[in-house]
Structures are given as C-alpha cells and as structure tokens.
Amino acid sequence: METTGPTAPDLSDYLGLLRRQWWLVVLGCVLGVAGGFGVTQVMAKTYESVTSVLVQPAGQDTNVAGGRTKGDINLDTEAQLVGSTQIAVGAADLLRSGEAPDVLAKGVSVTVPPNTAVLEINYKAPDPARAQAGSHAFAEAYLRNREASAQAEIDAQISALTNKVKQLNANLANINTKLAALTQDAASRPSLESQRSTNQSQLNSISGKLNDLTTETVSAGKIISDAQLPTAPSKPNRKLNLATGAMLGLLLGLSVAVVRERLDRRVRGAADVERVARVPVLAELTEATGPQLDEIFQPYATGGRTFNRLRNEVLASLRAEDRVVVVAGASRGVASTLVAANLAAAMARSGSEVVLVGAHLPDSLVDAAPLARLFGVGATPGLGDVLTGKVPLRAAVQRAPRVPSLRVITTGGTASAGGLLQSQALRQALAQLRRRDWYVVIEAPSTASSADAQSLARMADAAILTVELRRTRRPEVVDAVAQLTRVGTPLLGTVVIPRLAPNAENQSDADADSDFSHDEGTPEFDDLRDLDASGDILRDVPRARPPVAADEPSADLTVAGVTLTGGSAGLRNRPATNRRPARGKPGADPDTAVLRRLDSETLREMDRAANNGQHTAS
C-alpha cells in the first residue's frame, strides 16, 4: 500500500482545534478585555464641546470655482481660518488665558456638515468647563474676525469712493469755470458741456454707491448652537477600548492555540490518522464507550457492536486460506492488547475457533499478564515458555471461560526480547495453529518499542494498527504504517481508541471473579493433546484431563526482566474458582500473590529492566 504525505487541513480540523484549545481563546479574550479596561483607566480624560456657527455672506465673499461647498461662501476656506493663529489670538484674549495661541489652536477642530452653511467648531480640553469655554471662544473670535474683516473692506470701499467723489467735484468745478468764461457761440463750449455731463453722471452713480455702503450693516454670521458643558469624557472611549482589547485578545488566543496545536504532535481524532497516514479507519471507540485496560465488551454493548462490525470487515477482507491476523500498536501501551482481545472474542462469538496469542511484553509491572486478567486464565505457561522450549505448545493453550470457542496463549513467564519473536520456534508454533484451521489473532508489541511487530507481521496474513488518541503521535503512526507495509503484509486499516485510563486496582479481584465465572461443564482449556511435538495431528487420542502430580516442578514467572518464583506448572489446571479469588481469601492464585507481595524496590527494579530492554529468559 502506497502512502502519501499529509493533506491540507479542512474546516473540521479548525473546529476541532477550537474545541480542544477553547480555553486559550477564552483566556486571550479575558486578558484582552482586562487590558482594555486597564488602558481606559490610565488614559487621560478628554472632554469635547461643540459650537455651531451659521456663516453668512459679508463684504466681497466669493466661492472658489470648483469648490466642494455650494453658495457664495467657500466653507472649506472658512474652516481653515478657524484654526489660524489670528483666530487663536482672539480666542486667547476672550479666554484670558496665558497659553500660547498655537497651543490653544491644537485643541480646535472644525467640520462642515454636507449641504449646509454651518461650521461646527469642536474644542477638546482635559476639563469640561475649559472645553465649553474654548469652543465658544473660538466661535466668537471667528465671527468677530470675520465682521472686522468685512467692515474693513467696506470702509476701504467708502474711502475710495469718497476720493473719487472729490475728484469728480473738482473736475466739474473746473469745467464750470471754463464754461463761464466762454461766449455762447464759442467753438469749445459743446465739448466742455459734454465733459460736464459725463462727470456729473459718474458723480451721481458713485454718490449712490457711497450712500449704500455707508448705511450697510455688517453681519458675518451667528451662533445657532452654543457650546454645552460636557457631562462625560469623549476619550477614552470605554466601549471601543474594551472591544479592541477583546479582538486583540482573541487574535492572541487563536495564535497561541495554533502554535500549541502545531507543537502538539499527538493524534487527536480518526481524521488525523486518515489525513496523515492515508490509512482507512476500520473502527473507532469513543469516550462514551469508556474502554478500560482490562475490559472485554459485552456483545450488545456499544463497544461490543463496534468490534462485531470490525470482525465482519476483517473476515470479509481475508482470503479463504488466510488465518493469522496481527494487531500492533503505534505507540507504547496496552491499546493493542485491548483491541486484539476484543477482536478475538468477537470472532469467537461468531462460532469460529480462535486462538489469541499474547506476544506483547508489558511495559511495566502494572500491565503484567494483561491477557490473564482479561480472560481469567493463568499467567503461565505462555508463549515465552513455548519459544524457549520449557513447555510444548499444547501446554500453553488455555480455553477462555464463558467464550468456549476462544483459546488464549498468554505472554508467559519468559521475556520476548533477544530475538525470540523472530525465531524459527515461533514460525513452527504458528504453523501448528494454522494446521488446526483456526483463526489466530496475535497481540503484537508496538512498532515504536521494537521491530518485533514488523517480524510478526511478516508471518501473518493481515495486519491491523491500533492508535490511541492523545497518546500516539503522528510520526509514530506514519512510521508504524511504513513498518507494516514494507514487509508485504496487507494492512487492513486502523482501530482508533480514546486514551485508556486504568481501573482502580483493576476494579478488585472480586469483580473479575464475577465476570469470568467458570461453568463446571465446560473445559477450562484445550490442551492440544492431539498435536504431537512436531505439530502433526494425532487421531483417537483420549481427551481426559491428566492429573496434576503433587511433586510437579514449579514454573517461574518472569515479568519485566525479573524472575518471580512461586508459580507452578499446574497453574493452568487449577479450577476457575481458585484462579482469581478475592483479595485475602484462601486459595489465592500463587502467581498473583507473588506479584502483590513484591516490595517497592523490586517493583522499581522491574520497571528499570523493562525500560532498558533487559528481559531475562528463564
């Protein structure tokens, strides 16, 4: 199967990011709002007051061709005049302020409402009274300046016209003098009379204009809305600052969430597996299913139905001659144990004969003998004992209580390191199981811990990868897919489960007894006595259970590299009622009792040995 690189994230990935990192986004918004509130508290308050002035034509007002405003007055020019130094000097005199005119002019601003002849003079100050007084002072200074300018212009016109009148009167007096000296029939008389008539007409016209200018009343404009005392500061704007802080906090929270998500390489959902490794997801257990470390789902429970569908898909994908399926985990842990055990149980419930082979050495003593706890069978002998030749294969096969078609081969009392899972002995053991025409489900180690999963996959007919959410990392998934596909074994797909949470002390041994109560009429295990040492099938061999000798040699239990003495070779032949008794009851399982009596120093030694890969073969 060919794998490709990761694809681009889609909308569901971003929504998942928000669902996982929502607290960062909320925290960012809260911090942003708090920051906006703090900035609002420390910022200097600014008050504004507005005076509306109606500007009227005065003197020789003219609008510039192409100006923005309509009418006789160019209001854009007038708005600029309000902030000029000349108006600021007049405002300072009205305010009786010692501040420089340029400083006062910085607080004034003028706006022109569309399609009006009104100037709105706005003044800003740190004090409400100063804002009101400043706005009124600039409006009054502007009107006074405008009236003074208009009056000065009228006065200049009156002066010019007065001088013209004087000149015309002088001309008329001169002409009249000349005419008085001439006779009636003098040749120059008509010309002088014409000049006198022209000068008289000009004098009459100018005298009329002079009279109009003299009686003209100057009105440059008026205040139509005086400045009011502001009741609240215009700056800082609390709502604007809080909204801005919230937006900045939201951006900060999203940025931190994205960075945190990018740095977190863990698999968060089934879509991550399909996108990163391009491998189909065969089944997915949800948080509502609540899988535990030692849980076999009931057939009609939610988890049981999920594994029933997984069983159907696996059986449909296998060829007629295929019998061996390996289940490996992409990361360390017992996720593959849970999936392999439930898949084997589901296949057995369909009527098929199934053997579950435990080839996954636990990572620590807490996970010791997981298959034994799951199915209520003995921890030893197991696969490790078979591979080292301590016991034959038929002695390691145990029938699971309450699932008659399921047989279990536990990990056993010998560590699987040192190449035992890559040895010829394992091939021979699988060949013996294949001859029985049984389905074999192998619980393999994780691909992240060793190459044993790859070796087991090479001996199997199909492989299934288990991904534990929020624990398995994306590079581990890609590496696991590459390991399993490079050996040529078909990778059917993945099973995605939520992060496993161990039960409190495995929910006590009494619960385990009730879950796996033994039926006296059902054989506890299948001793494979019809297989000889070479794996050939024997005929007509009685199946009576051999008695257990009183002096039968003991079998040591090796877990996490430490050999524990106290188990017996007849462990698998003890009645089910004595296998997992309640804590403190007589007849307790010797192997379990040995594990519980270990002191803390021994436990630490076991974990160190397991972490260093120093597993001892007994």
Side-chain angles (χ1 to χ4, degrees):
M1 183 177 67
E2 182 180 358
T3 60
T4 60
T7 59
D10 53 16
L11 180 60
S12 61
D13 297 315
Y14 294 113
L15 294 178
L17 183 149
L18 292 177
R19 185 174 61 253
R20 293 186 294 270
Q21 310 290 347
W22 64 268
W23 63 275
L24 284 175
V25 178
V26 172
L27 179 61
C29 290
V30 172
L31 292 178
V33 171
F37 181 79
V39 170
T40 302
Q41 294 300 112
V42 300
M43 286 182 64
K45 292 181 173 58
T46 302
Y47 295 87
E48 295 184 9
S49 186
V50 180
T51 301
S52 299
V53 176
L54 176 62
V55 182
Q56 297 174 344
Q60 300 296 320
D61 283 331
T62 56
N63 197 352
V64 179
R68 183 176 66 89
T69 59
K70 304 297 182 180
D72 298 332
I73 308 171
N74 191 328
L75 294 181
D76 289 336
T77 302
E78 299 300 319
Q80 295 298 320
L81 290 175
V82 174
S84 64
T85 304
Q86 186 177 2
I87 304 300
V89 171
D93 293 339
L94 293 174
L95 291 172
R96 299 178 181 178
S97 172
E99 294 185 73
D102 293 340
V103 176
L104 289 176
K106 292 180 180 179
V108 69
S109 60
V110 183
T111 58
V112 180
N115 302 321
T116 66
V118 176
L119 297 179
E120 292 184 347
I121 302 175
N122 189 319
Y123 191 79
K124 301 176 182 178
D127 180 74
R130 291 181 59 185
Q132 180 188 24
S135 177
H136 179 81
F138 269 89
E140 188 68 29
Y142 165 72
L143 290 177
R144 291 183 181 184
N145 179 268
R146 180 173 171 77
E147 290 178 359
S149 298
Q151 188 63 49
E153 185 176 354
I154 292 175
D155 292 342
Q157 294 180 18
I158 291 174
S159 176
L161 292 177
T162 301
N163 291 333
K164 188 67 174 176
V165 168
K166 291 179 179 180
Q167 181 182 359
L168 290 175
N169 286 330
N171 289 338
L172 286 175
N174 187 24
I175 292 173
N176 288 331
T177 301
K178 290 181 179 180
L179 286 175
L182 294 177
T183 61
Q184 293 295 330
D185 55 354
S188 59
R189 190 176 183 86
S191 175
L192 291 174
E193 289 180 349
S194 176
Q195 292 179 12
R196 183 178 65 180
S197 176
T198 301
N199 287 335
Q200 187 65 46
S201 298
Q202 291 181 359
L203 179 61
N204 294 335
S205 175
I206 292 175
S207 297
K209 291 182 179 179
L210 185 59
N211 291 332
D212 292 339
L213 290 176
T214 304
T215 59
E216 182 178 355
T217 302
V218 177
S219 178
K222 61 181 179 179
I223 296 176
I224 60 176
S225 178
D226 205 352
Q228 300 295 322
L229 184 67
T231 57
S234 59
K235 291 182 180 180
N237 190 329
R238 177 174 297 180
K239 293 182 180 179
L240 179 61
N241 290 346
L242 293 180
T244 303
M247 291 299 298
L248 294 178
L250 176 63
L251 294 177
L252 176 63
L254 288 176
S255 301
V256 174
V258 171
V259 172
R260 191 171 185 268
E261 189 78 7
R262 295 283 294 181
L263 296 178
D264 188 0
R265 309 299 299 277
R266 293 177 297 177
V267 178
R268 293 289 185 174
D272 291 347
V273 178
E274 295 179 339
R275 185 179 67 253
V276 172
R278 310 290 289 182
V279 177
V281 176
L282 301 178
E284 179 182 6
L285 295 178
T286 62
E287 294 284 353
T289 308
Q292 302 295 330
L293 294 182
D294 54 354
E295 183 174 4
I296 298 297
F297 294 104
Q298 297 299 322
Y300 300 105
T302 303
R305 291 194 297 268
T306 299
F307 278 101
N308 290 340
R309 291 192 296 269
L310 176 62
R311 171 201 63 202
N312 297 337
E313 294 186 19
V314 170
L315 294 179
S317 302
L318 296 177
R319 297 172 299 180
E321 65 274 13
D322 292 341
R323 286 294 179 270
V324 181
V325 178
V326 63
V327 179
S331 60
R332 292 178 178 271
V334 295
S336 60
T337 302
L338 177 68
V339 174
N342 280 277
L343 175 60
M347 295 175 68
R349 285 195 295 264
S350 66
S352 303
E353 297 292 335
V354 182
V355 178
L356 175 60
V357 179
H360 180 193
L361 185 70
D363 295 329
S364 65
L365 185 63
V366 175
D367 302 328
L371 293 183
R373 293 200 311 271
L374 282 169
F375 293 102
V377 297
T380 57
L383 181 64
D385 304 291
V386 175
L387 298 182
T388 55
K390 294 184 62 177
V391 296
L393 177 61
R394 61 176 176 268
V397 178
Q398 306 178 66
R399 187 181 293 275
R402 308 201 42 191
V403 189
S405 298
L406 176 63
R407 298 164 178 82
V408 180
I409 302 178
T410 62
T411 305
T414 304
S416 59
L420 290 179
L421 294 182
Q422 306 177 27
S423 62
Q424 186 63 26
L426 179 59
R427 296 178 182 273
Q428 294 176 355
L430 291 179
Q432 293 186 44
L433 297 176
R434 283 180 182 271
R435 292 191 185 99
R436 295 286 300 197
D437 200 27
W438 291 344
Y439 285 108
V440 180
V441 179
I442 303 177
E443 172 218 6
S446 67
T447 56
S449 60
S450 67
D452 291 337
Q454 192 176 30
S455 302
L456 292 171
R458 187 174 54 185
M459 305 177 194
D461 301 316
I464 296 176
L465 184 65
T466 303
V467 177
E468 188 175 354
L469 299 181
R470 293 182 295 158
R471 181 170 184 174
T472 305
R473 301 183 180 274
R474 289 191 289 271
E476 292 177 335
V477 176
V478 175
D479 179 67
V481 171
Q483 288 190 45
L484 297 179
T485 54
R486 285 172 184 169
V487 297
T489 302
L491 180 59
L492 302 183
T494 61
V495 177
V496 178
I497 65 175
R499 182 160 187 162
L500 296 176
N503 290 338
E505 199 66 27
N506 298 326
Q507 294 182 349
S508 79
D509 298 307
D511 293 341
D513 289 336
S514 62
D515 289 341
F516 295 101
S517 59
H518 179 64
D519 186 359
E520 295 295 339
T522 303
E524 180 184 348
F525 60 90
D526 187 351
D527 56 9
L528 294 182
R529 294 181 61 203
D530 53 348
L531 294 181
D532 60 12
S534 63
D536 295 332
I537 300 178
L538 301 177
R539 303 298 180 186
D540 300 330
V541 178
R543 288 183 173 270
R545 180 176 300 175
V548 180
D551 57 349
E552 188 172 2
S554 62
D556 296 338
L557 175 62
T558 302
V559 179
V562 179
T563 302
L564 308 177
T565 306
S568 66
L571 171 68
R572 56 187 295 275
N573 290 327
R574 290 196 302 273
T577 54
N578 294 331
R579 177 170 295 106
R580 294 174 60 87
R583 192 174 308 169
K585 294 182 180 180
D589 187 348
D591 301 303
T592 306
V594 170
L595 293 177
R596 289 175 179 163
R597 288 197 302 269
L598 293 176
D599 58 295
S600 58
E601 183 62 31
T602 305
L603 295 179
R604 286 193 293 270
E605 181 182 355
M606 289 180 175
D607 285 337
R608 277 197 305 271
N611 293 332
N612 296 330
Q614 301 171 355
H615 303 300
T616 305
S618 299

